[in-house]
Amino acid sequence: SQTIHQWPATLVQPVGSPLSLECTVEGTSNPNLYWYRQAAGRGLQLLFYSIGIDQISSEVPQNLSASRPQDRQFILSSKKLLLSDSGFYLCAWSVNAQPQHFGDGTRLSIL
Amino acid sequence: RKEVEQDPGPFNVPEGATVAFNCTYSNSASQSFFWYRQDCRKEPKLLMSVYSSGNEDGRFTAQLNRASQYISLLIRDSKLSDSATYLCVVTASSNDYKLSFGAGTTVTVRA
């Protein structure tokens, strides 16, 4: 069966520091991969999605970037975090476009 | 206007009761619909897809009303473990990577 791993679970970072969140999927090949952010009391916002290695689509202009160096690895990065980057970050995978299945999430707090 | 709107609740119901709530969507061309369940500070998990003719999964029944552009979720014989936030998800087509998430409806089942 397929599993998705996302880490770290929680992260506290100062403003202006870099960020790297990792997500890996096991048990499937060539999955579609997604990064979402969920602000408190809000719906999920799609940040990036990828349908293959080095193929990244960005949905929202921001100071975040994503990379997919391997088939089942998806990385969310930032060179300099802003206070507004705080939130709950979720990685997801799918075989076709839907439905999508989520990792445990990373709760990011910027100080 | 938001793409997907939900009554945030909370819906407070006693164990064993029936609870139902709707979600409205703005894009009349939407083709795929889902309900996800999200526990507090956890990742969303797929509860069920919603089909045109309506569908049932145990105590959960989902309905789609295309004319009025809403989907509904009904929970029969509520259990304490049904306490969660239920996210309505809509997408333009079955091939669409971009899912539109509602902010969720919170259900609390009390003993």
Side-chain angles (χ1 to χ4, degrees), chain A:
Chain A
S1 64
Q2 300 89 350
T3 56
I4 180 169
H5 303 278
Q6 188 180 341
W7 68 94
T10 59
L11 190 59
V12 181
Q13 292 283 102
V15 169
S17 64
L19 173 73
S20 180
L21 302 181
E22 284 204 41
C23 171
T24 59
V25 178
E26 295 176 2
T28 185
S29 295
N30 197 30
N32 300 314
L33 297 172
Y34 312 83
W35 278 111
Y36 286 88
R37 177 170 59 206
Q38 185 178 35
R42 306 280 296 274
L44 274 71
Q45 179 187 38
L46 179 62
L47 302 175
F48 302 94
Y49 71 90
S50 170
I51 61 173
I53 294 175
D54 294 329
Q55 298 179 64
I56 310 294
S57 295
S58 174
E59 291 301 306
V60 183
Q62 59 210 317
N63 70 322
L64 298 171
S65 62
S67 61
R68 184 170 177 175
Q70 299 180 50
D71 180 44
R72 288 170 287 178
Q73 183 185 27
F74 205 23
I75 298 170
L76 183 69
S77 304
S78 174
K79 292 181 180 177
K80 279 189 175 183
L81 287 166
L82 306 172
L83 281 175
S84 57
D85 291 325
S86 292
F88 190 37
Y89 288 81
L90 290 153
C91 181
W93 70 272
S94 67
V95 172
N96 300 309
Q98 309 139 22
Q100 295 172 12
H101 306 277
F102 292 86
D104 291 344
T106 295
R107 203 159 295 277
L108 176 64
S109 299
I110 310 299
L111 303 178

Side-chain angles (χ1 to χ4, degrees), chain A residues 38 59 98 100 103 107, chain B residues 36 38 41 43 93 96-97:
Chain A
Q38 185 178 35
E59 291 301 306
Q98 309 139 22
Q100 295 172 12
R107 203 159 295 277
Chain B
Y36 278 71
Q38 186 172 25
R41 301 179 71 81
E43 78 280 15
S93 74
D96 199 340
Y97 297 102

